């Protein structure tokens, strides 16, 4: 009977194989290439922004396999590639510890491996987002009207408009009177009656009780106002995994910094030599 330690060691070595990395990268690229004609006219992926990944896989993904099968394959390939990258990076770091003394040069050589670990953390964070993110789209508010009660955020929201900024230049006649900044402020009222006011705009969400509140749309968009009343559409999102991929991004920048520093360090060392 083969020694279990030998079996584990053999599997560990195979999992970090460079040949396996190349094969998995090729299959991932091939899968993505085959996906393009399948998703070109498909609407099966649209609900991914509103439902979590597991529910999407069991519903939209499962019953639209003609256009989603590649995505199931992609998840498997990315899982295998992540395992391969993790094992390979661990093997290389262990090799560095065995072959080098602790020094500045040693730490600079860790740059590429830190970027590898950072990519894994980023992927884990995005997976967490698709698994645990909650989204409440299509909430409409009337500025100056009654508050919107949202049970999931444990509070109410009121919308107001202050000092909207219009385009009044003379270089773009077709843009005359258009809103540059709608001046939308949201007042959040918690269960205890406490209030706080925050401004929102495109790319500038408000934060309340762990939820991010995004501006989806507003009306009217110019001074004329048309025939409709003023409305503000918002989307509420809560992403508990956001800090994970943000941490990964920070580590990725650190890894790139070390890699760049190592490049110049080697260049300087050669000149001094």
């Amino acid at each position: 009977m083969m020694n279990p330690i030998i079996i584990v060691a053999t599997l560990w070595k195979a999992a970090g194989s460079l040949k396996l990395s190349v094969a998995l990268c090729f299959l991932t690229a091939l899968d993505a290439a085959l996906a393009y004609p399948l998703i070109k006219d498909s609407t099966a992926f649209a609900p991914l922004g509103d439902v979590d990944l597991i529910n999407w896989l069991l519903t939209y993904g499962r019953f639209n396999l003609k256009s989603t099968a590649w995505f199931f394959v992609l998840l498997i390939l990315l899982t295998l590639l992540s395992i391969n990258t993790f094992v390979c990076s661990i093997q290389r770091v262990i090799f560095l510890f065995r072959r080098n003394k602790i020094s500045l040069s040693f730490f600079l050589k860790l740059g590429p491996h830190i970027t590898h670990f950072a990519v894994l953390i980023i992927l884990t964070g995005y997976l967490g987002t698709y698994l645990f993110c909650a989204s409440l789209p299509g909430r409409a508010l009337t500025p100056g009207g009654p508050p919107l009660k949202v049970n999931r955020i444990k509070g109410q929201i009121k919308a107001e408009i202050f000092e909207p900024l219009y385009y009044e230049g003379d270089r773009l006649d077709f843009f005359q009177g258009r809103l540059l900044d709608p001046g939308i402020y949201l007042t959040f009222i918690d269960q205890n009656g406490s209030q706080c006011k925050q401004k929102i705009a495109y790319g500038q969400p408000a934060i309340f009780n762990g939820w991010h509140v995004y501006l989806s749309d507003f009306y009217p968009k110019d001074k004329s106002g048309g025939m409709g009343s003023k409305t503000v559409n918002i989307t509420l999102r809560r992403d508990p995994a956001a800090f994970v991929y943000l941490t990964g991004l920070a580590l990725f920048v650190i890894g790139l910094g070390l890699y760049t520093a190592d490049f110049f360090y080697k260049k300087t060392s050669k000149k001094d030599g």
Side-chain angles (χ1 to χ4, degrees):
M1 186 175 179
M2 189 176 289
N3 191 325
I5 296 177
I6 296 177
I7 296 175
V8 172
T10 302
L11 291 175
W12 177 262
K13 185 178 180 180
S17 168
L18 183 59
K19 291 181 180 180
L20 179 61
S21 301
V22 173
L24 289 173
C25 286
F26 172 76
L27 291 173
T28 302
L30 178 62
D31 184 57
L34 294 174
Y36 177 74
L38 297 176
I39 64 174
K40 194 174 180 181
D41 301 314
S42 175
T43 58
F45 291 90
L48 261 178
D50 301 325
V51 299
D52 62 79
L53 181 61
I54 298 299
N55 283 326
W56 182 89
L57 290 173
L58 294 175
T59 53
Y60 296 95
R62 179 184 173 189
F63 295 106
N64 294 276
L65 287 176
K66 285 186 178 180
S67 57
T68 63
W70 70 272
F71 188 72
F72 286 85
V73 175
L74 180 66
L75 290 178
I76 296 171
L77 289 173
L78 286 178
T79 300
L80 294 175
L81 188 59
S82 297
I83 294 171
N84 171 256
T85 303
F86 176 79
V87 174
C88 184
S89 298
I90 291 292
Q91 289 175 350
R92 294 300 300 168
V93 170
I94 291 174
F95 178 79
L96 283 176
F97 269 104
R98 289 177 176 174
R99 295 291 297 271
N100 298 272
K101 294 181 180 179
I102 303 298
S103 62
L104 175 61
S105 176
F106 169 78
F107 284 109
L108 293 179
K109 288 178 181 177
L110 291 175
H113 309 297
I114 290 176
T115 59
H116 292 161
F117 288 124
V119 170
L120 294 178
I121 293 172
I122 292 170
L123 289 175
T124 302
Y126 277 110
L127 177 62
T129 292
Y130 281 107
L131 286 174
F132 306 115
C133 181
S135 179
L136 302 174
R139 307 287 166 159
L141 292 166
T142 302
L148 171 70
K149 185 176 182 180
V150 186
N151 292 328
R152 291 191 66 179
I153 71 169
K154 299 178 181 179
Q156 302 179 65
I157 308 173
K158 290 180 65 177
E160 298 172 276
I161 294 180
F162 296 103
E163 300 179 354
L165 178 63
Y166 296 92
Y167 179 79
E168 296 179 352
D170 53 9
R171 298 184 64 182
L172 302 173
D173 292 337
F174 64 90
F175 215 68
Q176 193 66 237
R178 296 279 290 182
L179 270 170
L180 299 178
D181 181 355
I184 299 170
Y185 288 80
L186 299 182
T187 299
F188 298 96
I189 309 168
D190 65 19
Q191 292 178 321
N192 298 320
S194 298
Q195 301 184 16
C196 67
K197 183 179 293 185
Q198 299 181 51
K199 182 179 180 179
I200 64 168
Y202 291 128
Q204 181 186 337
I207 302 175
F208 178 69
N209 284 350
W211 290 78
H212 284 69
V213 183
Y214 296 88
L215 175 63
S216 300
D217 203 358
F218 61 90
Y219 187 86
K221 297 182 183 294
D222 53 38
K223 284 185 176 181
S224 64
M227 298 297 292
S229 60
K230 294 180 179 179
T231 57
V232 175
N233 291 330
I234 58 174
T235 295
L236 298 93
R237 287 177 63 86
R238 182 178 62 187
D239 185 1
F243 79 96
V244 177
Y245 55 78
L246 291 176
T247 301
L249 287 172
L251 279 177
F252 191 82
V253 172
I254 292 172
L256 285 180
L258 290 174
Y259 182 79
T260 304
D262 185 46
F263 173 79
F264 287 107
Y265 179 79
K266 288 178 179 177
K267 206 170 183 180
T268 305
S269 299
K270 286 181 179 179
K271 286 183 179 179
D272 294 341

